[in-house]
Amino acid sequence: MNQTSLSKLSTEELVKKHTAAKTMVWLLSIVLGGILLFFIYVSFQDGITPLLAVPLALSAIIPLNIKNMNALKKELDSRK
């Protein structure tokens, strides 16, 4: 999100978006961590599996969401 679109939102909307982004980052991290551990376990049992690449590839979403969350937080802080 760019700064001009954030400035058009109300404070309540920004708080809701920040809370949702924070929740999604945590949930995604937990799920991807669990999937990674499961695929590592499966790899030890049956040999290496290409499914190990899935959580590693999807983990690239987390920094983007953190960047978005920080932009929301910065806009909220500037309004106080």
Side-chain angles (χ1 to χ4, degrees):
M1 269 188 191
N2 58 18
Q3 198 66 20
T4 57
S5 66
L6 289 178
S7 61
K8 294 179 184 178
L9 296 174
S10 70
T11 304
E12 295 84 24
E13 290 173 325
L14 282 175
V15 169
K16 286 181 186 179
K17 285 186 178 286
H18 182 263
T19 304
K22 189 186 236 182
T23 303
M24 296 294 27
V25 166
W26 277 105
L27 285 174
L28 184 61
S29 299
I30 291 168
V31 168
L32 289 177
I35 291 171
L36 182 63
L37 291 175
F38 175 72
F39 287 149
I40 289 172
Y41 172 76
V42 169
S43 292
F44 281 131
Q45 299 298 318
D46 299 332
I48 201 118
T49 176
L51 290 175
L52 282 170
V54 173
L56 297 175
L58 291 177
S59 66
I61 298 170
I62 294 172
L64 298 174
N65 283 332
I66 290 174
K67 181 181 175 189
N68 184 25
M69 191 173 60
N70 288 339
L72 290 167
K73 182 71 172 163
K74 185 177 178 181
E75 179 64 26
L76 280 169
D77 290 342
S78 71
R79 292 185 182 195
K80 290 182 181 182

